[in-house]
Amino acid sequence: MKDLFSELETHEALADGAILMHGFALADEAAILHAIEQVVEAAPFRHMNTPGGFRMSVAMTNCGAFGWVTDRHGYRYSPVDPQSGDPWPQMPPILQALAERAAQEAGYRDFSPDACLINRYEPSTKMSLHQDKDEQDFNNPIVSVSLGLPASFQFGGLKRTDPVRKYALHHGDVVVWGGPSRLFYHGILALKQGQHPLVGSLRLNLTFRKAV
């Protein structure tokens, strides 16, 4: 029988439509990390440039039918890797299943992502407050999986000036947000030095989206 008290302890509501599920991805951590290695072998991490010409400190790659890219032409989704001209690697089944299972657990039953952005954080790198708004349909949630070093997750509101709360994200944690909180500002504070037994001195973040 499912332990309801245990579930309450590991599921933390962040806002209306947003939930943090501690350790949700731990059961499949080895398979998830192996799948990431396969993606990176086909589409290596790279530092993209913002439309303003600034080099992003976080290294990125993608898998799925679409990949999120940024350059002087703007932020957008592309079916091909601009670095190679080839389609992005297919989303490994283990990653697709993880995203769909997490979304269902959070109450979003029809989520089927077609894009997975993989971010690699090194110590001192960060992600400034931003909204995920390059997708065509905001009715779909965002599913974010944390692996490796712990990070401080910022979660605000619909305006950049809204109060921001901070949550500690650890290896295996999954955050899902949608509905009323779908366009909430969020970010990651500068990553602290550390060593994770499986990931090393890095944090990996998988962000699943329905792009088109």
Side-chain angles (χ1 to χ4, degrees):
M1 181 176 179
K2 196 171 186 179
D3 187 343
L4 297 179
F5 292 101
S6 175
E7 180 176 325
L8 289 173
E9 291 174 0
T10 57
H11 287 39
E12 182 177 358
L14 307 187
D16 189 7
I19 187 170
L20 165 56
M21 298 180 285
H22 296 284
F24 188 84
L26 285 178
D28 298 316
E29 61 180 353
I32 293 168
L33 290 171
H34 179 66
I36 294 173
E37 290 176 356
Q38 292 180 313
V39 171
V40 173
E41 184 176 349
F45 282 112
R46 78 290 307 267
H47 293 272
M48 299 184 190
N49 293 315
T50 67
F54 295 99
R55 179 179 182 268
M56 298 190 71
S57 64
V58 175
M60 301 176 174
T61 189
N62 293 275
C63 63
F66 298 92
W68 185 86
V69 298
T70 173
D71 54 26
R72 291 187 179 273
H73 299 291
Y75 306 115
R76 63 193 184 281
Y77 284 95
S78 171
V80 299
D81 180 348
Q83 186 165 289
S84 66
D86 297 326
W88 294 103
Q90 291 185 354
M91 191 182 303
I94 184 68
L95 301 187
Q96 182 96 23
L98 170 64
E100 293 178 356
R101 185 164 55 89
Q104 290 174 6
E105 183 78 8
Y108 302 98
R109 304 192 182 280
D110 299 322
F111 179 62
S112 182
D114 56 11
C116 174
L117 172 65
I118 306 176
N119 292 330
R120 184 188 69 192
Y121 292 79
E122 298 179 3
S124 80
T125 59
K126 63 181 181 179
M127 185 69 69
S128 300
L129 283 175
H130 65 283
Q131 296 170 297
D132 288 356
K133 58 180 182 179
D134 299 315
E135 300 74 34
Q136 292 184 6
D137 185 355
F138 297 149
N139 288 319
N140 291 288
I142 304 294
V143 176
S144 176
V145 180
S146 293
L147 301 167
L149 292 181
S152 183
F153 178 60
Q154 297 177 291
F155 201 62
L158 289 172
K159 297 183 294 184
R160 188 182 293 274
T161 55
D162 284 342
V164 173
R165 289 157 295 168
K166 301 175 184 176
Y167 301 90
L169 297 183
H170 297 278
H171 179 75
D173 287 352
V174 177
V175 182
V176 182
W177 66 94
S181 59
R182 172 61 177 76
L183 291 175
F184 275 20
Y185 278 89
H186 57 282
I188 294 289
L189 293 176
L191 193 71
K192 296 181 179 180
Q193 295 278 353
Q195 191 74 20
H196 188 273
L198 295 179
V199 184
S201 59
L202 301 170
R203 174 182 185 257
L204 298 175
N205 174 237
L206 310 178
T207 306
F208 297 91
R209 303 160 177 161
K210 180 67 174 176
V212 300

